[in-house]
Amino acid sequence: MVSHHQDEAIWRALRETRLPAVHVGRPQAGGTGLPYVDMDNEAGGALAAEHLIAGGRRRIGTIAGPQDMAPGADRLSGWRRAMRAAGLADDLVEIADFSAESGGERMRRLLRREKGLDAVFVASDLMAVAAIHEIQAAGLQVPEQIAVVGFDDSQAASLSRPSLTTVRNPVDSLATTAVDMLLRLMQGEEAESVVLDTQLVRRASTDFSVLK
């Protein structure tokens, strides 16, 4: 089961029929009784914010994912935690739906809201690439004026111009772990939930050396 939303209840049918099942991504509903494999999305959001803060950025916004999905909620929570730990305001938040269209539209909102914006953490690479386009369309430079961090380390991140700093989503490891867990369940064994580590991949969209 992937891309689980809070109001989805297919897990109930799976649990009642006793079909072996595994969540890929922590279920936002919680307490489904089914094991899951996830990445540490909250730590990833914090990593993104900490990187921007370490680069000297202070007016940092975020374009978060949908809050009825665990990745969207957890990445926002991690960003807030790092911002508050640094004593910085965490008021520049726009909620999107992980699509490029929503990422571009929310970036335009942030630019209208805050003229002093100097960085943004965007909760998916697809949205982040669209955000970069909007920043550049507004006559601003990335990363000189606004640094950008995405999330996923998808192909879009390396093809973006400038290339996108991002938090790696270990898709291969998630899939492999989920299959291993499912096979154990099919053999009548127990499978404990697993949370994988995150990693920041640095690219040109946060190249702070250009300011030196």
Side-chain angles (χ1 to χ4, degrees), residues 48-64:
E50 289 164 356
H51 175 59
L52 293 168
I53 293 165
R57 304 303 165 106
R58 291 297 177 267
R59 200 64 177 115
I60 304 169
T62 186
I63 300 173

Side-chain angles (χ1 to χ4, degrees), residues 111-160:
L111 291 172
R112 289 194 299 268
R113 286 177 59 185
E114 178 54 63
K115 300 303 181 184
L117 185 73
D118 59 10
V120 60
F121 164 52
V122 190
S124 79
D125 289 348
L126 197 60
M127 294 197 300
V129 171
I132 288 175
H133 290 168
E134 294 300 330
I135 293 168
Q136 294 169 334
L140 301 170
Q141 294 181 305
V142 178
E144 291 87 345
Q145 291 167 284
I146 300 180
V148 180
V149 177
F151 204 111
D152 285 331
D153 195 25
S154 65
Q155 188 176 30
S158 57
L159 294 177
S160 173

Side-chain angles (χ1 to χ4, degrees), residues 42-54 60 74-90 121:
E42 184 171 348
L47 271 177
E50 289 164 356
H51 175 59
L52 293 168
I53 293 165
I60 304 169
D74 289 350
R75 293 170 195 179
L76 175 58
S77 177
W79 174 85
R80 285 193 188 279
R81 173 164 56 84
M83 294 290 286
R84 291 171 179 172
L88 298 177
D90 63 350
F121 164 52

Side-chain angles (χ1 to χ4, degrees), residues 165-176:
T165 294
T166 185
V167 179
R168 178 167 293 157
N169 187 342
V171 176
D172 289 348
S173 296
L174 286 168
T176 300

Side-chain angles (χ1 to χ4, degrees), residues 10-212:
I10 189 174
W11 60 269
R12 296 182 189 277
L14 290 170
R15 190 173 66 179
E16 289 169 2
T17 58
R18 300 185 182 277
L19 285 173
V22 174
H23 289 284
V24 180
R26 180 178 66 82
Q28 180 70 343
T32 67
L34 302 175
Y36 64 84
V37 56
D38 199 6
M39 62 177 296
D40 195 336
N41 284 289
E42 184 171 348
L47 271 177
E50 289 164 356
H51 175 59
L52 293 168
I53 293 165
R57 304 303 165 106
R58 291 297 177 267
R59 200 64 177 115
I60 304 169
T62 186
I63 300 173
Q67 297 301 288
D68 68 338
M69 297 181 70
D74 289 350
R75 293 170 195 179
L76 175 58
S77 177
W79 174 85
R80 285 193 188 279
R81 173 164 56 84
M83 294 290 286
R84 291 171 179 172
L88 298 177
D90 63 350
D91 57 314
L92 292 177
V93 178
E94 292 288 342
I95 306 299
D97 64 8
F98 286 140
S99 70
E101 181 180 8
S102 71
E105 196 275 333
R106 299 313 191 272
M107 189 68 239
R108 292 193 296 272
R109 286 191 193 179
L110 282 176
L111 291 172
R112 289 194 299 268
R113 286 177 59 185
E114 178 54 63
K115 300 303 181 184
L117 185 73
D118 59 10
V120 60
F121 164 52
V122 190
S124 79
D125 289 348
L126 197 60
M127 294 197 300
V129 171
I132 288 175
H133 290 168
E134 294 300 330
I135 293 168
Q136 294 169 334
L140 301 170
Q141 294 181 305
V142 178
E144 291 87 345
Q145 291 167 284
I146 300 180
V148 180
V149 177
F151 204 111
D152 285 331
D153 195 25
S154 65
Q155 188 176 30
S158 57
L159 294 177
S160 173
R161 292 295 176 267
S163 57
L164 179 65
T165 294
T166 185
V167 179
R168 178 167 293 157
N169 187 342
V171 176
D172 289 348
S173 296
L174 286 168
T176 300
T177 304
V179 171
D180 287 344
M181 293 168 65
L182 187 60
L183 289 173
R184 289 202 298 274
L185 291 173
M186 292 171 66
Q187 293 165 1
E189 301 174 8
E190 293 187 358
E192 298 292 330
S193 295
V194 177
V195 178
L196 304 177
D197 291 334
T198 56
Q199 176 185 359
L200 185 75
V201 180
R202 303 185 185 196
R203 295 193 178 96
S205 68
T206 60
D207 182 4
F208 301 116
S209 68
V210 298
L211 304 180
K212 298 178 181 179

